[in-house]
Amino acid sequence: MTTLIESTGREQGGRTTALGMSTLAFTVCFAVWTIFSIIGIQIKKDLGLSDTQFGLLVGTPILTGSLIRLILGIWADRYGGRVVFAGVMVAAAVATWLLTFAYDYPTFLLAALGVGIAGGSFAVGIAYVSRWYTQDRQGTALGIFGAGNVGAAVTKFVAPFVMVAWGWKSVAEIWAVALLVTAAVFWFTTKEDPQHVARRKAGMKAEPISAMLEPLRNVQVWRFSLYYFFVFGGFVALALWLPRYLIGVYGLDITTAGIIAAAYSVPASLFRIYGGVLSDKFGARRVMYWTFGVSVAACFVLAYPPTQYIVKGIQGPIDFTLEMGLVPFTIIAFVLGFFMSLGKAAVYKHIPVYYPSHVGAVGGVVGLVGGLGGFVLPLAFGLLNDLTGVWTSCFMLLFLVVAASLVWMHVSIRTMERERAGEALARLPELPEMQPIHGPEHVGKLAGKTLEDWHPEDKAFWEEKGRRIAHRNLAISIPALLLSFAVWMVWSVVVAKLPAIGFSYSTDQLFWLAALPGVSGATLRIFYSFTVPIFGGRLWTTVATWSLILPAVGIGYAVQNPATPYWIFLVLALLCGFGGGNFASSMSNISFFFPKAEKGNALALNAGLGNLGVSVVQFVVPMVITAGVFGWLGGPPQIAREAAGETRLWLQNAGFVWVPFIAASAFAAWFGMNDIASAKASFAEQSVIFQRRHNWIMCWLYTGTFGSFIGYSAAFPLLTKTAFPEVNALQYAFLGPLVGALSRSLTGWVADRWGGGRVTFWVFIVMAVGALGVVHFLGERNFAAFFAMFLLLFFASGVGNASTFQMIPAIMRLDMARLMPAASADVRRLQAEKESAAIIGFTSAIAAFGAFFIPKSFGSSIALTGSAAVALYGFLAFYLSCIAITWFFYARKGGLLFDVERRRHSGPTAVATPAA
């Protein structure tokens, strides 16, 4: 790229004009993009919106501007930044003018979507500006361009005065005209960037979109995206939210609030230039450490709510209040904005250096995720206000985001340094005090938990010591995973008893509590898949098991007081997702210990016995809540008022009962498990599965099997309690998951014998019949038949869990012949094994969302229609789609698996690879 940039005076003039006009254009675009931070306050008052609705309104333009950044960045790479930039401004100007015709909340949301086009200009601008400068000056140039964020401060300074004088519609009209004029000036004063001109003169075609998207497979792109989620998304969110915050907390008028909010926005914009200079001079890493370190401290201070303390002193009570005044708040907000601006420049310093030909695509996706922060965070701020009633909850959330970013960045850097240090680091003593007397004979003597030499495929090694070590780790992993599933599903039992002990929650609210562990657990599975290679299996299993203490103890205390706010139960339900996420890391860890010949059986034991945790929780909890197991330590009983009369319950035992087992399991993991030094996995190598259509097809099918198993497990107790209040559902709830877990463990041979495609096809037929049976007997109020149909669903889902995962290795082995026709058989086999493992992990994460969608579907169906029948008909339609997909792609004559499954073998058609 540097060869395309000449140093002539004419070229220098074009470069300066391009940077100056791009910065001006981005400033105006940003002013339009954040227009709702001011006019939204008047609209909120006119329409009587809640804080959550207000958060959605101000965040909607941010959503549009974020989502279109990727495609606009790609267009800028393909067609040139100048024409795309001008087009974006014209489209945004038209949408902003049309905003004045909105008349109610839905039309305002629709108009806000159009206004958001202005936010997409960032991805276009960085692609356009970066091509005018060499790599040693791009940090400064992009810092100057990014200072266009100051448009948010322009809106906060000027818009309040315009709105007070002429109304909010005048603000929209003036901003639209300003954007249109800027587009014209930009078009007539700028030129195409040198790279685009040179490519056009040479007659070179632009890269295809697939090639532009190729860098997105690199994990660092997504790590940059998380950093930008905070430094930019957090900036936009606070730029939108602060006027509302200042008015609510300090009672300011709109004009004063806008001016003070600008004290945050201005440094978070203009000092981005300085961040680019510092990144060029001292390096982006140092800037990012300072950014995150100071931001953690600032967010922590801002998050501390006004609190009144009463201390019992010697001479009587001493009361005092801690509360931040307006002046210190403004100062700390200024500091936070300043360091956010440095971080924004540091993140984008990397992109044109490492991806010079894909600045638009990579910058677009980083900007997309960062911009989504500007949409998600204001909505979350409003929701937290409504749920907690605490104004500073917005800074509590920002503290969590920046702390996570700092930890991830630091761990990544340390991992890189450890790999670079290699043997030199391994030779150091465990403690620096021993360094003067540390010799070669002491190396590794105190670090026995890490297996430096691990070769399970070597039969001699395996028989001599490998088998013993692997089975010890498996024996410790199984109870830890069983406890994870138990904590993940504990809400399925607890919610059924909450109304009886005085919690006045609606049916829909109860189903939300049953569903939220599913969505958090499924989401965490995606991230947990990569933790073992980073932290080590021993450390991560220990930490992940200890994490179960939080929801277990929290539930134990929360259920003892009917006045406990609903939002606390929501948080605890989300924390139960730690249990669901642990599955991915547990399976990943155990897979490293065993040779291929025994890997399937080891994973089957780990997954199958782990699944039993669902049945265990639904069997154990109904018993332990009927007695004061922990005496006075566990707290007093509650009076449960049900149709059968009044009884005493210790519902807190549903959480407390797991605590000693969690502690024992965590200690066992730390002292009994091992790390494997060679247990490493590349995200880039595995990400190829996202290009495989069979990955997405199997996600759909496995959602139908495992998603049904875990979703019905979570929903069945509460559904039965709602539909058959006269039945003690907790006596029977454990049987469904037990049947599903056992059928999975005991019927794998069926798929091996007859073929996974054929078995899966018939499984979905049985599940469709089961769903119809549940609907029928639910209408007839026949509990016995209703329960029998659910057992049929659980049984079929267990068989399908095994058969669908039996299909994946067979599918990928056959598909490799098409994907890699020139490769040798061994190369195709190794690639198929690698992709099969990745697909198994990814499909297990996607299917786990069934633990959210099924309970939530039941809750919504009952809330809207008074019956669960509508949800069940939806599941029936899903099973019918699975039948059609399985038949068309795999089971029919001409399908991928038809020939191999009907060919006569002396052994099984494929090797099963169990997972959950």
Side-chain angles (χ1 to χ4, degrees), residues 53-317:
Q53 290 174 312
F54 174 73
L56 178 60
L57 179 63
V58 299
T60 296
I62 312 304
L63 175 65
T64 307
S66 303
L67 294 179
I68 65 173
R69 284 185 171 189
L70 177 58
I71 188 62
L72 289 179
I74 292 173
W75 286 351
D77 284 339
R78 287 176 63 87
Y79 308 117
R82 178 170 171 262
V83 63
V84 178
F85 209 151
V88 166
M89 286 188 280
V90 172
V94 173
T96 306
W97 185 273
L98 294 176
L99 169 65
T100 61
F101 296 96
Y103 57 88
D104 61 5
Y105 188 59
T107 54
F108 274 110
L109 289 177
L110 182 63
L113 286 171
V115 172
I117 295 172
S121 59
F122 177 74
V124 182
I126 61 166
Y128 179 62
V129 170
S130 66
R131 292 191 171 90
W132 288 94
Y133 290 86
T134 55
Q135 291 182 356
D136 60 330
R137 299 182 60 193
Q138 284 173 339
T140 302
L142 294 180
I144 294 172
F145 168 74
N149 290 165
V150 78
V154 173
T155 291
K156 291 182 179 64
F157 271 126
V158 181
F161 296 100
V162 176
M163 189 169 70
V164 170
W166 297 299
W168 69 264
K169 290 187 178 181
S170 295
V171 178
E173 292 168 348
I174 294 172
W175 266 233
V177 171
L179 193 55
L180 198 61
V181 170
T182 304
V185 175
F186 175 86
W187 178 256
F188 289 110
T189 58
T190 59
K191 302 175 182 178
E192 293 290 352
D193 66 82
Q195 183 175 338
H196 185 70
V197 171
R199 189 177 67 197
R200 189 169 55 191
K201 286 182 178 179
M204 298 170 57
K205 292 184 178 180
E207 285 187 297
I209 291 179
S210 59
M212 291 183 176
L213 294 176
E214 183 69 18
L216 304 189
R217 294 171 54 186
N218 297 328
V219 69
Q220 67 265 28
V221 172
W222 301 99
R223 194 158 63 241
F224 291 159
S225 299
L226 174 64
Y227 304 160
Y228 207 60
F229 183 88
F230 173 75
V231 295
F232 178 74
F235 156 70
V236 174
L238 286 180
L240 297 170
W241 188 254
L242 277 180
R244 167 72 179 139
Y245 182 91
L246 292 167
I247 292 171
V249 175
Y250 298 107
L252 305 179
D253 59 76
I254 181 62
T255 304
T256 307
I259 293 174
I260 294 179
Y264 158 80
S265 300
V266 169
S269 305
L270 295 181
F271 285 106
R272 185 167 183 163
I273 303 172
Y274 187 49
V277 174
L278 291 177
S279 296
D280 284 341
K281 187 174 182 181
F282 299 107
R285 181 202 289 189
R286 186 178 298 180
V287 175
M288 290 304 297
Y289 264 121
W290 274 102
T291 294
F292 288 150
V294 174
S295 296
V296 164
C299 288
F300 180 82
V301 172
L302 293 172
Y304 201 88
T307 308
Q308 185 173 4
Y309 292 91
I310 299 178
V311 179
K312 293 183 179 180
I314 298 174
Q315 299 179 351

Side-chain angles (χ1 to χ4, degrees), residues 253-548:
D253 59 76
I254 181 62
T255 304
T256 307
I259 293 174
I260 294 179
Y264 158 80
S265 300
V266 169
S269 305
L270 295 181
F271 285 106
R272 185 167 183 163
I273 303 172
Y274 187 49
V277 174
L278 291 177
S279 296
D280 284 341
K281 187 174 182 181
F282 299 107
R285 181 202 289 189
R286 186 178 298 180
V287 175
M288 290 304 297
Y289 264 121
W290 274 102
T291 294
F292 288 150
V294 174
S295 296
V296 164
C299 288
F300 180 82
V301 172
L302 293 172
Y304 201 88
T307 308
Q308 185 173 4
Y309 292 91
I310 299 178
V311 179
K312 293 183 179 180
I314 298 174
Q315 299 179 351
I318 303 172
D319 62 328
F320 61 94
T321 301
L322 289 180
E323 183 174 2
M324 182 175 292
L326 181 59
V327 173
F329 175 88
T330 304
I331 293 173
I332 296 177
F334 181 95
V335 172
L336 178 62
F338 171 79
F339 279 94
M340 279 181 161
S341 69
L342 302 185
K344 285 184 283 187
V347 170
Y348 267 89
K349 164 67 177 176
H350 294 79
I351 294 173
V353 174
Y354 286 98
Y355 304 101
S357 301
H358 303 95
V359 174
V362 177
V365 77
V366 173
L368 184 154
V369 175
L372 282 178
F375 167 72
V376 173
L377 290 174
L379 185 59
F381 294 165
L383 183 61
L384 286 173
N385 267 13
D386 290 339
L387 290 175
T388 67
V390 177
W391 276 107
T392 59
S393 57
C394 58
F395 292 105
M396 297 177 189
L397 178 59
L398 287 177
F399 172 80
L400 293 177
V401 174
V402 67
S405 301
L406 176 59
V407 169
W408 193 7
M409 182 181 75
H410 181 68
V411 167
S412 301
I413 291 172
R414 295 299 298 161
T415 300
M416 175 185 66
E417 291 175 342
R418 282 199 300 270
E419 292 173 352
R420 179 62 176 170
E423 295 181 1
L425 185 66
R427 288 196 295 267
L428 293 176
E430 293 287 294
L431 298 174
E433 289 81 1
M434 299 297 107
Q435 198 161 3
I437 58 174
H438 185 70
E441 69 276 13
H442 302 121
V443 174
K445 294 300 182 182
L446 298 178
K449 295 302 180 183
T450 298
L451 302 174
E452 301 289 346
D453 184 28
W454 187 251
H455 305 289
E457 300 298 338
D458 183 336
K459 291 184 178 181
F461 170 85
W462 179 249
E463 294 298 334
E464 180 181 351
K465 63 178 181 179
R467 184 189 300 276
R468 173 176 51 82
I469 295 173
H471 280 276
R472 184 184 71 243
N473 280 268
L474 176 62
I476 296 172
S477 176
I478 288 173
L481 187 56
L482 185 147
L483 287 168
S484 295
F485 271 91
V487 171
W488 192 24
M489 289 291 106
V490 71
W491 273 113
S492 66
V493 183
V494 172
V495 293
K497 289 294 184 181
L498 289 179
I501 61 173
F503 288 88
S504 55
Y505 297 149
S506 67
T507 300
D508 190 51
Q509 286 178 308
L510 294 174
F511 273 106
W512 263 111
L513 293 178
L516 281 180
V519 71
S520 61
T523 304
L524 287 173
R525 280 190 177 196
I526 299 173
F527 299 101
Y528 277 33
S529 299
F530 306 101
T531 54
V532 169
I534 296 174
F535 298 100
R538 169 177 168 252
L539 173 61
W540 186 254
T541 302
T542 303
V543 172
T545 304
W546 273 122
S547 72
L548 304 177

Side-chain angles (χ1 to χ4, degrees), residues 762-842:
W762 286 104
V763 159
F764 283 123
I765 291 177
V766 174
M767 295 185 75
V769 172
L772 278 176
V774 171
V775 173
H776 175 72
F777 293 115
L778 183 64
E780 291 193 353
R781 298 196 52 74
N782 184 335
F783 173 73
F786 166 85
F787 184 54
M789 288 296 101
F790 254 113
L791 289 182
L792 179 64
L793 284 170
F794 275 111
F795 174 81
S797 70
V799 177
N801 287 339
S803 65
T804 48
F805 269 56
Q806 193 271 356
M807 294 167 63
I808 292 174
I811 290 170
M812 297 315 298
R813 280 196 295 270
L814 293 170
D815 207 33
M816 283 304 140
R818 177 183 64 86
L819 296 170
M820 305 173 66
S824 66
D826 285 340
V827 171
R828 290 202 299 265
R829 177 181 56 81
L830 292 173
Q831 183 67 17
E833 289 177 355
K834 181 176 69 176
E835 294 191 23
S836 295
I839 291 173
I840 285 172
F842 185 71

